[in-house]
Amino acid sequence: MTALGEFALWIALPIAIWGGVLAFLGGRWNRGDLVLSAERSVHAVFALTMIASIGIIVAFMTDDFQYWYIYNYSSLELDPFFKFSGLWAGQRGSLLFWALNLAFFSSLAVWFNRNKNREFMPYVVGTLLTVLAFFLLITLFITPPFEKLAFTPPDGRGLNPQLQNYWMTIHPPTLYLGFTAFTVPFAFAIAALLSGRLDSRWIQLTRKWILTSWFFLSVGIIFGMRWAYEELGWGGYWFWDPVENASLLPWLTATAFLHSIMIQESRGMLKIWNMGLVCVTFLLTIFATFLTRSGLIESVHSFALSLDIAYAFLAFMAVAGAICIFLIVKRLPLMRSERQFESFLSREAAFLLNNLVLLGAAFAVLWGTLFPLITEGLTGSKVAVGPPFFNQVNIPIGLLLLALMGIGPVIAWRRASAKNLRRNFVIPVVVGLVTGGALTALGVRHVYALLTFSLAAFVLTIIVIEFWKGTRARARIEDEGYPIAFIHLVRRNRRRWGGYIVHVGVVLMFVGFAGAAFDVEVRQSMEPGDSIEIDSPYGHTYRLSYLGLSSQAGQNMWQVIATFQIERDGVQIGFLDTERRLYQAPPQPVTEVGIRSNAIEDLYIIMASMDERVGLGNDPDFQRATFQFLINPLVPWIWYGGIILAFGTLIGLWPGAGIPGAPSASIGGGGTGRGGGRRDDDPDDGDPVPDPDPIEGGTPDRDPEPSKRPIEPAPVTARS
Amino acid sequence: MSLLIAAVALAGCIVLYVLHPLLTGGSASMEEDHHELTEAQHQKRIALLGLRDVEYDFHAGKLDESDYRRLKKGLAAEALQAMESESRELRESEGGTLSAEVEDEIEALRTSLREGTICHECGEPNPRGSRFCGECGTGLSVTRETTDA
């Protein structure tokens, strides 16, 4: 099977090249046969990369150490679970895995569009296959996963112990899905540029792809944070590591893009900006892969330095970037804005500011990440840029974004008046100030934390009010109970309300981040029977009594476990273990932290060092060990926020249900024009007339104040 | 030997699958989607989306009355202009004639847009003075309030 997998990979490359060339030619010459052959090439490449990947997995599962990749990333003792995930554990397999993910999404995109959007599809297929061909080229010629050794070793070198964690099986694939899914919107953007169809059509077609990619990127990053928190054993979840940064960069620009496309869809503005953003985000997904796989910048994730890969990726990014710039410049006349900003006090302006801030953050992170490389190139010596730089720059930016998350929903489209803003902001601002004041009175003095909590209260109040207004209006108009009205409200405009739910998740995550301002850390060397008392910032005290070490032989490792008895304010609440593992293949010690989590804080214990003479007999003379105790307030909120964020995104992604009573709308339906009779299957697709949401689409919430006086009918100037 | 057979079979199947359209004359559709918007429909869509936002923002208390009226007036004019272009496009695409049914539909939509009696629940253009949507029964009270005064 493995040999067949290698063979499949060799066929995949020419098929991808063939299909790519045929797709562009088919689009240019309007030849359906060429395009069909190209589309079939996409499915074929997917099947072939799948066979190749299965080949690698079979080699892992059967301990086929004649392959360099299997020898270096597996061993006889390795848990089968981690053998399976060996496909993406190392550089060689992970690039094949990238290609597999991209081929999967490409195949899906071709299948979904087999009967529609035909003027885009030749160029979409051409772009997807070009990117695929690049990855297959690298996989075959620079990082061959099927390379054989001159002899077959009896055992492998084993998998890095830090990768022997269940998050390892989830985090990289999720992130890869996010990276690769973004190639589809990019391909549609290139197709729009090539075909000259530059209205918001390509954005409407790819909105769910963008959201899919954003979902996987977000979840992948959060999984990575959780992995770092549980496995790396330094007490934190984000270290501004170059590869962490690399995954954050496309997330930042994709987030900006998700907001700015709304302006293009509803106002016909920011076309060039959006086109630039989609290209930049795509290039950043490639950059993230490049940074991880080239090993150019030292990171916990990086594989061995490989200049060949670095040059290949740099060349690809340079060519792709140049093509994007050329096409955008060439099509500039077709991308003129259809409207102008009417006021700086409008939601459009708030969105634009949000975009600028997100891009500012992306630039700061990019600069900090590349700075060591740039200084090394210029001066020959490496200058490390650590968390202090990133925190100093990004915390204020994050706070500004948090504030905008509250301001955006309240500010009107087109033009907001100061009077209305005042009225809408009074309650949220008061809630924010009261929160800040109360926390100050309770002794909180950390400025950034106070600002974060106050802004979080401000934003959450605004979101709650928005939901309340919407639900109330729906309940009145449809004569529904409030819970049912709430469910219908969200269901009928998933994009808007799903977005607000995502905002709630992000706010909770920010609150969790701010908790780091109150971290408590104590380091202590202890003998069995010793106790230590640690005060939590919430006022209670933990008493941790060290009971001793116990050691045991596990699969491929030797575990030494320290056990603590925990009391909170004198009441025993349980036991907590923390351990060190000594892996045999490869021989490497790893810390397994002990975490006891409740709704507001984590108690976190790391075994910093121990006397290895304790041995398997648990010798009582060598039980002394040094521990690091941490209380991490609000960290659980990061994970809660992550779950809410994912849930909100899924609401936005959920396929549309049919709209009862959607008009045949040969004119008013805004979608059919000539055909008529089409039922709109997605209420969020921007079709304004049949929008079923009473809030978004029509009979709106009646805030009595502004509409007390009856309003004159709007005079119509253009008449037939 | 079995590997060789499997490899040849795999390569053969893939090549045949990919080349099949070229050998048999099979073809992917190259026609534009009939559901796609024309330029006029696109403009109309943007104007109607604008109207939707302005309605919501005003009734949610985010927009001043004077701004609301001004914006609504401008957007209604844009929407009507786009509809004019759309009906022109339709006439051209149907050889200069437009069925009476379609003409009626356009007129009904224009009227309801002017009168504010278009149902935002289902999109039905209701006649002037309607209090409830004739199609789905949704109350048209707000738009009535704003137009009857």
Side-chain angles (χ1 to χ4, degrees):
Chain A
M1 184 66 206
T2 308
L4 192 65
E6 182 176 9
F7 180 70
L9 200 58
W10 278 105
I11 313 177
L13 178 64
I15 295 281
I17 295 171
W18 163 268
V21 171
L22 246 62
F24 286 119
L25 290 178
R28 179 98 184 145
W29 296 339
N30 205 25
R31 288 266 305 270
D33 54 341
L34 301 189
V35 175
L36 184 59
S37 179
E39 290 184 341
R40 288 185 169 205
S41 302
V42 174
H43 300 312
V45 170
F46 172 52
L48 292 166
T49 47
M50 179 61 93
I51 293 171
S53 303
I54 291 171
I56 292 287
I57 291 169
V58 167
F60 264 107
M61 301 309 275
T62 55
D63 299 318
D64 199 346
F65 299 120
Q66 64 170 323
Y67 292 99
W68 183 96
Y69 186 57
I70 314 300
Y71 167 68
N72 278 286
Y73 289 91
S74 185
S75 63
L76 292 170
E77 291 291 316
L78 188 66
D79 191 312
F81 188 60
F82 298 120
K83 283 182 182 172
F84 181 84
S85 59
L87 174 61
W88 53 85
Q91 188 183 58
R92 298 186 179 205
S94 64
L95 286 170
L96 170 61
F97 188 58
W98 216 102
L100 173 68
N101 281 317
L102 178 57
F104 167 67
F105 282 127
S106 304
S107 197
L108 221 54
V110 168
W111 175 255
F112 283 146
N113 290 289
R114 62 195 183 282
N115 294 321
K116 55 187 182 182
N117 311 314
R118 299 307 304 169
E119 79 273 30
F120 287 121
M121 286 317 287
Y123 305 114
V124 170
V125 170
T127 308
L128 290 170
L129 283 172
T130 306
V131 180
L132 263 171
F134 165 73
F135 274 93
L136 290 170
L137 211 62
I138 288 194
T139 306
L140 280 169
F141 293 103
I142 303 179
T143 60
F146 294 101
E147 187 185 348
K148 284 181 181 170
L149 296 168
F151 63 102
T152 304
D155 199 355
R157 295 174 65 189
L159 183 65
N160 181 341
Q162 285 183 333
L163 302 182
Q164 294 184 38
N165 178 293
Y166 59 95
W167 288 112
M168 146 69 188
T169 57
I170 310 169
H171 159 65
T174 322
L175 214 47
Y176 274 30
L177 287 170
F179 286 160
T180 50
F182 206 86
T183 311
V184 177
F186 170 73
F188 270 94
I190 293 293
L193 285 167
L194 286 170
S195 66
R197 184 72 200 270
L198 286 155
D199 52 25
S200 57
R201 179 77 182 152
W202 71 271
I203 282 181
Q204 289 159 25
L205 298 177
T206 56
R207 197 178 63 77
K208 294 221 162 166
W209 282 103
I210 297 162
L211 213 51
T212 304
S213 165
W214 192 86
F215 171 78
F216 283 119
L217 273 179
S218 307
V219 172
I221 291 170
I222 294 166
F223 283 167
M225 288 161 73
R226 184 74 200 182
W227 180 11
Y229 191 64
E230 280 188 11
E231 192 59 29
L232 296 185
W234 56 275
Y237 41 80
W238 192 267
F239 195 66
W240 297 108
D241 172 270
V243 175
E244 287 175 343
N245 295 348
S247 66
L248 185 64
L249 288 169
W251 185 88
L252 288 169
T253 52
T255 309
F257 185 58
L258 268 177
H259 288 86
S260 64
I261 54 174
M262 283 186 245
I263 303 180
Q264 180 167 347
E265 279 183 274
S266 63
R267 306 290 318 276
M269 294 156 70
L270 297 185
K271 291 179 182 175
I272 302 167
W273 178 267
N274 284 330
M275 195 55 86
L277 267 183
V278 74
C279 294
V280 165
T281 306
F282 168 72
L283 289 174
L284 284 173
T285 62
I286 302 290
F287 175 76
T289 315
F290 154 72
L291 212 60
T292 327
R293 304 309 159 206
S294 70
L296 267 187
I297 297 177
E298 280 176 29
S299 152
V300 292
H301 299 73
S302 293
F303 302 112
L305 178 66
S306 166
L307 282 179
D308 288 346
I309 295 185
Y311 292 142
F313 269 99
L314 280 175
F316 180 74
M317 284 191 288
V319 172
I323 291 172
C324 291
I325 292 169
F326 171 76
L327 288 174
I328 290 174
V329 170
K330 194 176 163 215
R331 295 296 193 186
L332 274 181
L334 291 175
M335 290 196 284
R336 271 196 292 269
S337 220
E338 293 162 30
R339 304 281 190 288
Q340 298 294 325
F341 275 110
E342 290 174 30
S343 165
F344 281 107
L345 214 56
S346 63
R347 194 178 296 176
E348 293 92 314
F351 272 14
L352 193 61
L353 185 59
N354 138 307
N355 264 238
L356 293 174
V357 174
L358 282 165
L359 254 63
F363 180 76
V365 173
L366 182 66
W367 176 250
T369 308
L370 289 181
F371 191 73
L373 200 64
I374 295 167
T375 49
E376 193 181 8
L378 293 176
T379 64
S381 60
K382 231 174 204 170
V383 178
V385 177
F389 163 79
F390 290 105
N391 287 335
Q392 202 173 356
V393 176
N394 286 304
I395 289 175
I397 291 178
L399 288 172
L400 188 54
L401 276 175
L402 192 57
L404 283 171
M405 240 188 284
I407 294 167
V410 173
I411 225 167
W413 284 103
R414 292 161 187 273
R415 176 184 292 274
S417 72
K419 197 180 92 190
N420 278 321
L421 285 184
R422 267 200 300 278
R423 190 177 53 237
N424 286 311
F425 279 131
V426 166
I427 297 174
V429 166
V430 167
V431 172
L433 289 176
V434 167
T435 306
L439 289 171
T440 312
L442 287 169
V444 177
R445 292 290 179 270
H446 195 284
V447 176
Y448 280 148
L450 271 175
L451 276 171
T452 308
F453 297 143
S454 303
L455 283 171
F458 165 74
V459 177
L460 288 179
T461 310
I462 282 174
I463 295 173
V464 168
I465 290 174
E466 285 285 313
F467 270 106
W468 164 244
K469 279 183 176 175
T471 308
R472 188 183 56 182
R474 170 109 204 158
R476 275 188 203 156
I477 293 162
E478 300 296 326
D479 197 20
E480 292 172 339
Y482 279 83
I484 298 293
F486 175 79
I487 292 167
H488 284 167
L489 178 80
V490 176
R491 204 172 69 86
R492 291 297 183 87
N493 197 338
R494 285 177 286 269
R495 182 181 191 177
R496 179 190 180 97
W497 302 106
Y500 285 168
I501 292 170
V502 170
H503 281 185
V504 171
V506 175
V507 169
L508 290 191
M509 291 181 78
F510 268 76
V511 171
F513 298 150
F518 310 99
D519 282 357
V520 177
E521 189 173 344
V522 182
R523 196 182 169 92
Q524 177 98 25
S525 179
M526 299 173 88
E527 288 277 4
D530 289 352
S531 294
I532 182 171
E533 288 198 344
I534 308 168
D535 293 328
S536 160
Y538 294 105
H540 52 264
T541 302
Y542 286 109
R543 183 183 173 83
L544 298 131
S545 306
Y546 174 41
L547 302 181
L549 292 176
S550 56
S551 54
Q552 61 187 52
Q555 190 178 4
N556 187 30
M557 65 178 157
W558 173 49
Q559 291 168 283
V560 181
I561 303 163
T563 305
F564 284 84
Q565 180 185 297
I566 310 166
E567 291 169 42
R568 183 180 152 161
D569 290 334
V571 179
Q572 189 184 322
I573 56 170
F575 297 88
L576 186 58
D577 289 341
T578 179
E579 66 180 85
R580 275 174 83 80
R581 293 177 177 176
L582 258 171
Y583 281 84
Q584 288 160 1
Q588 193 177 324
V590 171
T591 306
E592 291 289 314
V593 298
I595 304 173
R596 187 184 177 87
S597 198
N598 62 33
I600 52 169
E601 67 185 4
D602 281 354
L603 177 62
Y604 189 103
I605 309 179
I606 308 162
M607 187 168 4
S609 66
M610 57 159 204
D611 193 332
E612 289 185 10
R613 288 175 295 177
V614 66
L616 277 174
N618 297 321
D619 194 323
D621 295 333
F622 304 111
Q623 295 272 329
R624 173 169 286 280
T626 304
F627 301 98
Q628 212 171 331
F629 303 94
L630 292 101
I631 294 179
N632 295 332
L634 296 173
V635 165
W637 287 40
I638 297 174
W639 321 127
Y640 303 150
I643 293 167
I644 293 172
L645 178 148
F647 176 66
T649 316
L650 287 177
I651 287 179
L653 267 172
W654 205 255
I659 302 167
S664 59
S666 62
I667 302 297
T672 56
R674 286 151 281 177
R678 181 176 67 110
R679 286 194 152 226
D680 192 338
D681 64 350
D682 187 351
D684 297 343
D685 70 356
D687 197 354
V689 173
D691 193 319
D693 186 338
I695 302 309
E696 285 291 87
T699 326
D701 179 13
R702 276 159 287 174
D703 191 334
E705 285 192 43
S707 53
K708 269 179 188 162
R709 281 187 295 132
I711 298 154
E712 297 295 323
V716 173
T717 50
R719 289 172 188 269
S720 56
Chain B
M1 187 61 189
S2 59
L3 174 68
L4 188 69
I5 294 168
V8 170
L10 177 68
C13 290
I14 291 288
V15 170
L16 199 65
Y17 173 68
V18 170
L19 293 183
H20 190 258
L22 304 179
L23 302 173
T24 62
S27 178
S29 165
M30 298 296 282
E31 284 177 19
E32 273 201 20
D33 191 342
H34 288 300
H35 294 329
E36 286 181 18
L37 303 184
T38 62
E39 183 56 29
Q41 286 170 332
H42 173 67
Q43 291 299 333
K44 183 187 76 176
R45 183 178 163 280
I46 286 183
L48 290 176
L49 272 173
L51 274 172
R52 184 188 77 166
D53 290 332
V54 163
E55 275 300 323
Y56 174 65
D57 284 341
F58 172 63
H59 289 283
K62 299 175 188 174
L63 206 56
D64 264 347
E65 198 176 304
S66 56
D67 283 334
Y68 166 70
R69 283 192 202 170
R70 187 183 58 77
L71 290 169
K72 193 169 175 179
K73 178 180 159 186
L75 286 165
E78 274 181 34
L80 285 174
Q81 209 159 21
M83 284 160 68
E84 282 292 311
S85 313
E86 191 185 4
S87 48
R88 250 198 318 276
E89 276 175 4
L90 268 171
R91 278 192 205 97
E92 282 163 16
S93 69
E94 295 189 4
T97 56
L98 205 56
S99 72
E101 197 187 334
V102 176
E103 289 277 19
D104 289 348
E105 204 170 341
I106 295 172
E107 190 48 44
L109 202 71
R110 275 195 198 117
T111 310
S112 57
L113 197 65
R114 259 183 240 130
E115 305 297 339
T117 53
I118 192 160
C119 175
H120 290 284
E121 182 69 17
C122 70
E124 177 71 13
N126 293 289
R128 184 170 194 191
S130 300
R131 295 166 65 91
F132 296 95
C133 173
E135 179 70 21
C136 69
T138 301
L140 303 170
S141 51
V142 169
T143 43
R144 184 174 52 77
E145 258 175 39
T146 62
T147 53
D148 284 356

